[in-house]
């Protein structure tokens, strides 16, 4: 058994696709129209056949309170592995990405938390 898909709820699929591809560097994998929304996934360019991240519309009424509570408490919706958190922090900050947590050493990992512009906090993490 392996993880095939994971989702992050987004308030605007077009904005999310731009952020996750143009800023974070993921590649669009799937885009299938489904009514007013799309089945929209991105993957890491380092593993294009690996786990897909679904940019899931946050239209369900339960989603907004859930997302708001996570953001209010500073809890990331998900975490992405990077080779060097400090280098990614510098690169993304240079692109205008807003971080809610700058790089922090946490024992075996270094983490930082960014705002994905679509209603989520996303953690980036590096094993040290």
């Amino acid at each position: 058994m392996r993880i095939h898909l994971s989702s992050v709820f987004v308030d605007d699929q077009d904005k999310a696709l731009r952020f996750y591809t143009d800023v974070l560097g993921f590649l669009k994998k799937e885009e299938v129209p489904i009514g007013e929304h799309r089945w929209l996934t991105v993957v890491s360019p380092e593993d294009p056949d690996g786990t897909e991240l679904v940019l899931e519309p946050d239209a369900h009424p339960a989603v907004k309170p859930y997302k708001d509570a996570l953001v209010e408490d500073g809890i990331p919706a998900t975490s992405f592995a990077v080779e060097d958190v400090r280098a990614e922090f510098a690169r993304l900050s240079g692109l205008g990405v807003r971080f809610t947590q700058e790089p922090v050493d946490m024992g075996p990992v270094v983490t930082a938390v960014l705002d994905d512009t679509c209603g989520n906090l996303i953690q980036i993490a590096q094993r040290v």
Side-chain angles (χ1 to χ4, degrees):
M1 189 176 303
R2 62 186 173 85
I3 298 171
H4 174 64
L5 296 169
S6 185
S7 297
V8 63
F9 291 109
V10 298
D11 57 12
D12 180 317
Q13 285 186 301
D14 291 324
K15 180 173 67 169
L17 182 60
R18 283 189 304 274
F19 183 82
Y20 281 79
T21 57
D22 296 346
V23 178
L24 296 184
F26 291 106
L27 301 174
K28 180 171 72 172
K29 175 85 175 198
E30 300 287 341
E31 183 171 8
V32 179
I34 302 175
E36 68 180 279
H37 301 291
R38 295 166 286 169
W39 176 258
L40 184 60
T41 69
V42 295
V43 293
S44 169
E46 297 171 16
D47 191 10
D49 294 320
T51 304
E52 296 176 48
L53 180 68
V54 181
L55 302 178
E56 184 87 33
D58 67 0
H60 188 282
V63 174
K64 184 165 176 33
Y66 167 75
K67 284 174 54 178
D68 290 348
L70 289 178
V71 170
E72 184 176 319
D73 289 346
I75 299 170
T78 194
S79 181
F80 302 139
V82 297
E83 291 294 320
D84 184 332
V85 166
R86 287 177 178 77
E88 279 299 301
F89 174 80
R91 181 183 79 82
L92 294 172
S93 293
L95 293 173
V97 173
R98 185 178 75 81
F99 279 80
T100 61
Q101 175 198 303
E102 294 190 7
V104 174
D105 290 309
M106 304 179 94
V109 297
V110 177
T111 66
V113 178
L114 61 92
D115 178 340
D116 79 348
T117 74
C118 302
N120 302 290
L121 299 178
I122 304 294
Q123 180 181 72
I124 57 174
Q126 162 197 354
R127 287 202 177 270
V128 291

